[in-house]
Amino acid sequence: MRSESAPLLYTYRRCPYAIRARLALLQAGVAFDAFEIVLRDKPAQMLALSPKGTVPVLRLPDGQVLEQSLDIVRWAFLETGDVDGWWARGQSDTNLALLSACDGGFKHHLDQYKYPERFDGVDSKAHHREQAVDVLLSPLDAQLQSTGHLGGQAPCATDIAIFPFVRQFAAVDPAWFEALPLPALKDWLHGWLSTTLFNTAMTKLPANQTTAFPTA
């Protein structure tokens, strides 16, 4: 049952952008309701709020609508005062550059690696996965070698923002990914996969109805 005072998140369980949003809301301690959409039958109420038709979409209790995952991440941490510094630690030049690479070149190569049938052209899956390593995974591994987190001694919003996309990449060909000489990156990924935060964020919800999301 939905609370009128709770933000409402339109989401899709496997979408990395939606995972990013759910992780941030949970980590920030924001109680929220969730509506798990069906991709082939998107709800009219979501499309009325956000005609772009993609998730996540967050409707705030005051009627404001956030249509981009990073806007939801920022809102979640700042709305709760960022008392543990998750947002602040993510704002270094290095972290912002890694995030830009993730949402730019890496996402481009990830899509063509994961869904080659959707794209015309001669570039092979192998080409795109190698480019993805160069664009993000190698720099990310180098950054993680010293502390294991992008926030230094503790994780930050940038870890949350990038992790779902690395997870998606690794799942395309797990054996090939595990053979990569990127030990810090793989330790980071496996660490996130085992967290209560991630496993709560991946709670399977009934489709096409509003549900109070579990707390981590």
Side-chain angles (χ1 to χ4, degrees), residues 67-122:
E67 301 180 80
Q68 302 296 330
S69 61
L70 290 177
D71 290 339
I72 296 171
V73 173
R74 179 172 56 248
W75 177 85
F77 286 114
L78 297 185
E79 174 70 10
T80 54
D82 197 28
V83 292
D84 294 323
W86 279 68
W87 179 256
R89 288 193 300 276
Q91 302 313 297
S92 69
D93 289 344
T94 298
N95 279 338
L96 293 176
L98 288 168
L99 183 55
S100 178
C102 175
D103 286 13
F106 179 75
K107 183 61 167 62
H108 166 78
H109 292 298
L110 169 60
D111 286 346
Q112 300 211 30
Y113 173 43
K114 184 174 175 62
Y115 309 109
E117 68 281 359
R118 297 182 184 178
F119 301 94
D120 296 325
V122 297

Side-chain angles (χ1 to χ4, degrees), residues 21-41:
R22 297 195 305 269
L23 287 170
L25 291 165
L26 288 167
Q27 179 59 45
V30 176
F32 67 99
D33 296 330
F35 190 104
E36 177 75 10
I37 73 165
V38 176
L39 293 180
R40 290 174 289 185
D41 185 22

